[in-house]
Amino acid sequence: MSSDRLIYLPLGGAGEVGMNAYVYGYGKPGKERLILVDLGVTFPDMDTTPGVDLIFPDIQWLVDNRDRLEAVFITHAHEDHVGAVGHYYERLGAPIYARAFTANIARGKMAEHGHPEKAVRTVSAWPETTHAGPFSVAFVPISHSIPESSGLVLDTPAGRVVHSADYKIDHHPVVGEAFDEALWAEVGQPGVRALVCDSTNVFNTHPGRSESSLSDDIGRLVTGCNGMFVATTFASNIARVKTLAEAGQRAGRSVCLLGRAMRRMIEAAVETGVLRDFPKMVTPEDTRNIPRENLMLIVTGSQGERRAASAQLAQGKYQGITMKAGDMFLFSSKTIPGNERGVIRVMNQFSELGVDVVDDSDGLYHVSGHANRPDLEAFQNILKPQTVVPMHGEHRHLREHVNLCESRGIRGVLAPNGTMVDLAAEPPQVVEYVDTGRTYLDGSVQIGALDGIVRDRIRMALNGHVLVNVILDEENEPLGDPWCEVMGLPETGASRAPLVDVLEEDLSQYMGRAGRKTLGDDHKLEEGLRKVARQTGMSEIGKKPEVTVIISRLTE
Amino acid sequence: MSSDRLIYLPLGGAGEVGMNAYVYGYGKPGKERLILVDLGVTFPDMDTTPGVDLIFPDIQWLVDNRDRLEAVFITHAHEDHVGAVGHYYERLGAPIYARAFTANIARGKMAEHGHPEKAVRTVSAWPETTHAGPFSVAFVPISHSIPESSGLVLDTPAGRVVHSADYKIDHHPVVGEAFDEALWAEVGQPGVRALVCDSTNVFNTHPGRSESSLSDDIGRLVTGCNGMFVATTFASNIARVKTLAEAGQRAGRSVCLLGRAMRRMIEAAVETGVLRDFPKMVTPEDTRNIPRENLMLIVTGSQGERRAASAQLAQGKYQGITMKAGDMFLFSSKTIPGNERGVIRVMNQFSELGVDVVDDSDGLYHVSGHANRPDLEAFQNILKPQTVVPMHGEHRHLREHVNLCESRGIRGVLAPNGTMVDLAAEPPQVVEYVDTGRTYLDGSVQIGALDGIVRDRIRMALNGHVLVNVILDEENEPLGDPWCEVMGLPETGASRAPLVDVLEEDLSQYMGRAGRKTLGDDHKLEEGLRKVARQTGMSEIGKKPEVTVIISRLTE
């Protein structure tokens, strides 16, 4: 019997779909040698994170323990798994391991930050293993919606842990490796202490569909279109891009890729040999000399992103190409919750242009990359894990996944972000809660989600901003009247006079009746002026604005 | 032959789902006597309208022609049809006609604004007609998701127009009038020149389902729950509230309504005799003495609204009631596009409490109130209109509805907001385009969507706000150094010094090198300071903040 622990600690991804970062450790309590699996980002929204560029998991715990960190392993090249490697490399300093395609993308991210590309080390798939402290790590190919996605087999003195990564069971994934049941049965053979498993689609009770099932329906759609055919999908879904391109080719259309992210992904797939026999592309310039009924575009922007190719086309023009009545636009994608408004805006703009828009509402033109409930069960049946720890999901997904396990007589452990579980204990137990959270990339600066910076921006967006400026002389006597500027507020309110005039009048009256003690005390004076400005806001325009007071004192 | 026109002019609702406002007119061109059908609101979102309270259609055209306006007719009591009557009554001044339940709700809105309740006149259903200038208007009961929804039959010298209002074909609507095919056939008998028709569900190819189809499935869910059962739906869906309450009653549960909007609606339904045999309710206080397995709550907040009962329960407590493991929460509703984030947040909060959440993803616990494609076709078959003008939908819905008509050999006219169509012409033709848009209620002030006020707030939310303050003496010499305050920006950037210090240093240097001409010119000085502050922002924190410059000049 040993007191060594085998810990699992999600810092991100267990409580949201995004910013995956899972710590594993093995050793004496508090002295475990650590590895990190995935280091991704999530995306901001106007509701909670206006002006933020990217969101990372808060990895302070790991930074505090970086001397114990052996390596970072990246399971696949989706942004929510690899997106933060460049931003966080300096703070962690550990080598990064990935398979060729993922490593290619990771190196690009490192280069953007001036980090050494050689810090990213390319490994081969199972049975090759990488030793990282007490861990022996193998990348086992698993089907998903991006090439070379891999589950990780983590062997430790306390036994084997399988980290599923994002996966589905697809025997014909079009590009990359099929789900190989025999291989996974081999992985399960010695016994699996714990399966840490994707939970995204646990509420979907239908068996998952294969990527290869889309080709015929997409082909029919392309053939039936009399104008230009344009399709969007996730840039990293190489198989889908291939399916779309081949449908275009079969219909006698020249195919053009639009959008930097998509070109980058295809380039990486070609460079690493993942993608072969890809139809020859034409450039945006070439398209000018090709009749539109012989053209197909495959473009970025499946989520309605304002700057992506699809949104630009919907607004009229992109790289010299315009769409018009008779053309067709296909969303070969699903709309990620929260992006509905953007996607619908693009659809309506296309409608105004007379372009026919087709989406996946009939289930014909997109398949998910994640395992539905029956495929979660199938994977459990193959691996026969002693314990399942759901990850990669919101709280409701993790909880439902635990319920699913327990209904099948398998132990499930609910471990949202910050929950440190000792998988070596029998049964596994929660040994610690670690502070986790979010770090924002705001412009070029990393800020904490709780720093109050974004909260202040949200307040200005909701309430507007009033600036109050007063000047006092050496005797604490006001020099002139208070001066206001407003931003984001109506020009006039209840009294029909300009809001600024009413504010200045009320503030001026306040200054007139303020005692010497208040006028001599910056803090008191500021509070008094702020209160008056907010009251005036309420009575004039029915809202209390944010107020910034600037007090200047002349001292000569 | 006459030169009189029969015009249709949507000011809102034809290009969005929301803020319905449809003008009809009859008479000599430019002198038509007018009626308005519906006067609704739509709701703001953080992406485009932060801090805005409500959104109305811009009715300036109608205000400019208010001397021609005979009356306002409200088809039903949904907010997107009746929500603006109180806010706009003064600007229009016309009497408002509605059936009893709708009128009850409309009077409440008038009272909130201190307007005379008697301006709202209660009318009875078909065959009663109201004369308004050249129009004879009848309210014909039609099934929807609120009581007493009515299609309008508008008889004019140029023939009959049917304004469908929001509708579905439901022969067993639980509360209120069933869809009556014989009655509608009678309406169609004299010939229908134009059907102006709901388009919301045109993309849904399945036949619509009846409200009454839900009772069994909801009943099973309630019976299967061992803890407290809580359900949310749209506050105005009286039939659903009844179905839910009866399911609770059958299961031996005491039923309690939570949420002001829902209580108000039920009250109106009881007062107007629309709702009878409603199970007896208990108060929130009563619930303390009732075992949770004998309790059912029906609550507001189906869209995840932050202040509604469901969100408050999800956060822990509402009116002394808490939910916990073993309880069940049902969304007997659909999530309106754009509200996904809010609804998912509530679901995850319930998950953290251990509450089981059930939604309509399996199609068992909610039915839509709008006509699907087959029901649009059925209504056309009954009325046999010469022309269909799609309304109540986004552009893509209107366009698809026109396509549907044309595929069936019926003339369809695409007329988004601002399109004035002469329905008396043969064929109907667009005679004018009128400026339309949105008016925001911001606090207590109505502002134009294009006034730039909300745009400024969005900019502050995205970019933060820097305030620059400089004081110059009578000689245009700076008195001291420039002074900055920042709001919504990181405290430190690239140089690791406080951002405010770096800004002040750079601005101070600028002041030092500025010539007398610049120092003497407010506009030049402001532009110079703004440019420096933005450049410093870019180099320090990677973003260009909004900048407000305050220049104070001492003159004695």
Side-chain angles (χ1 to χ4, degrees), chain A residues 57-370:
Chain A
D58 178 349
I59 55 161
Q60 193 57 48
W61 185 89
L62 200 56
V63 171
D64 292 343
N65 294 283
R66 61 177 277 173
D67 57 315
R68 290 158 55 192
L69 180 65
E70 301 280 352
V72 178
F73 296 86
I74 307 294
T75 60
H76 64 289
H78 277 149
E79 286 295 320
D80 58 333
H81 294 260
V82 72
V85 294
H87 300 276
Y88 271 168
Y89 177 70
E90 275 179 347
R91 292 181 71 195
L92 293 177
I96 296 161
Y97 294 90
R99 291 177 68 197
F101 175 79
T102 310
N104 184 303
I105 298 295
R107 283 191 194 102
K109 294 185 180 298
M110 294 289 275
E112 281 170 20
H113 289 78
H115 300 321
E117 296 193 15
K118 69 178 193 309
V120 179
R121 303 178 190 174
T122 303
V123 294
S124 297
W126 169 281
E128 180 173 313
T129 59
T130 300
H131 294 279
F135 290 91
S136 165
V137 180
F139 286 76
V140 182
I142 198 159
S143 43
H144 183 43
S145 50
I146 191 169
E148 290 190 351
S149 196
S150 304
L152 299 185
V153 175
L154 311 176
D155 282 327
T156 72
R160 175 165 284 188
V161 173
V162 173
H163 182 96
S164 76
D166 295 10
Y167 84 100
K168 66 187 288 192
I169 295 182
D170 191 337
H171 296 101
H172 303 282
V174 179
V175 168
E177 301 122 335
F179 184 85
D180 184 340
E181 289 191 20
L183 180 60
W184 281 104
E186 186 187 327
V187 166
Q189 195 57 46
V192 172
R193 177 165 278 275
L195 166 63
V196 178
C197 191
D198 184 357
S199 307
T200 318
N201 281 7
V202 65
F203 285 107
N204 192 322
T205 54
H206 305 286
R209 289 183 305 136
S210 168
E211 183 67 32
S212 58
S213 69
L214 299 173
S215 178
D216 289 351
D217 286 317
I218 289 176
R220 267 188 288 276
L221 204 61
V222 175
T223 309
C225 169
N226 297 317
M228 185 161 64
F229 190 95
V230 184
T232 185
T233 189
F234 301 96
S236 58
N237 195 330
I238 308 290
R240 187 69 48 79
V241 175
K242 190 179 186 213
T243 299
L244 290 163
E246 287 176 349
Q249 196 180 37
R250 285 200 308 275
R253 291 173 185 260
S254 298
V255 178
C256 176
L257 293 188
L258 290 181
R260 205 163 53 104
M262 194 170 275
R263 302 178 79 96
R264 171 74 188 94
M265 279 288 169
I266 295 292
E267 196 179 280
V270 170
E271 276 176 22
T272 54
V274 165
L275 184 62
R276 298 191 195 89
D277 315 318
F278 192 65
K280 197 172 169 308
M281 297 288 110
V282 299
T283 68
E285 295 72 41
D286 294 339
T287 63
R288 288 174 208 162
N289 306 313
I290 302 172
R292 56 201 311 112
E293 65 273 19
N294 294 338
L295 258 183
M296 179 188 219
L297 312 181
I298 308 175
V299 308
T300 53
S302 69
Q303 302 304 305
E305 303 93 325
R306 280 185 190 271
R307 292 175 190 169
S310 67
Q312 306 266 352
L313 284 169
Q315 276 170 52
K317 202 169 201 172
Y318 186 71
Q319 302 215 351
I321 301 171
T322 55
M323 294 191 69
K324 63 179 191 185
D327 295 342
M328 182 173 279
F329 191 95
L330 169 65
F331 284 88
S332 182
S333 54
K334 73 161 232 175
T335 302
I336 294 169
N339 296 337
E340 287 79 3
R341 281 184 211 276
V343 169
I344 289 172
R345 186 184 58 241
V346 167
M347 286 180 169
N348 281 312
Q349 287 168 335
F350 278 131
S351 177
E352 288 174 28
L353 294 176
V355 172
D356 291 317
V357 174
V358 178
D359 67 11
D360 188 47
S361 46
D362 291 328
L364 298 176
Y365 308 117
H366 178 66
V367 294
S368 170
H370 295 274

Side-chain angles (χ1 to χ4, degrees), chain A residues 45 51 340-341 344 348 351 354 356 394-396 399 442 444 457 461 465 469 483 488 541 543 550-552, chain B residues 45 51 340-341 344 348 351 354 356 394-396 399 442 444 457 461 465 469 483 488 541 543 551-552:
Chain A
D45 60 65
E340 287 79 3
R341 281 184 211 276
I344 289 172
N348 281 312
S351 177
D356 291 317
E394 301 163 12
H395 194 283
R396 62 193 175 117
R399 180 167 176 269
D442 191 45
S444 55
R457 293 211 294 257
H465 198 184
N469 189 29
W483 184 341
I541 58 169
K543 59 199 299 174
I550 303 180
I551 299 168
S552 307
Chain B
D45 60 65
E340 288 78 3
R341 281 184 212 278
I344 289 173
N348 281 310
S351 179
D356 290 319
E394 300 163 13
H395 194 283
R396 63 193 174 116
R399 181 168 176 268
D442 193 43
S444 54
R457 293 212 293 258
H465 198 184
N469 189 28
W483 184 342
I541 58 167
K543 62 199 297 173
I551 299 168
S552 307

Side-chain angles (χ1 to χ4, degrees), chain B residues 8-14 21-23 389-391 415-421 434 436:
Chain B
Y8 163 76
L9 169 61
L11 297 178
Y22 307 93
V23 175
V389 187
M391 62 158 179
N417 291 338
T419 311
M420 188 190 289
V421 180
V434 164
T436 55

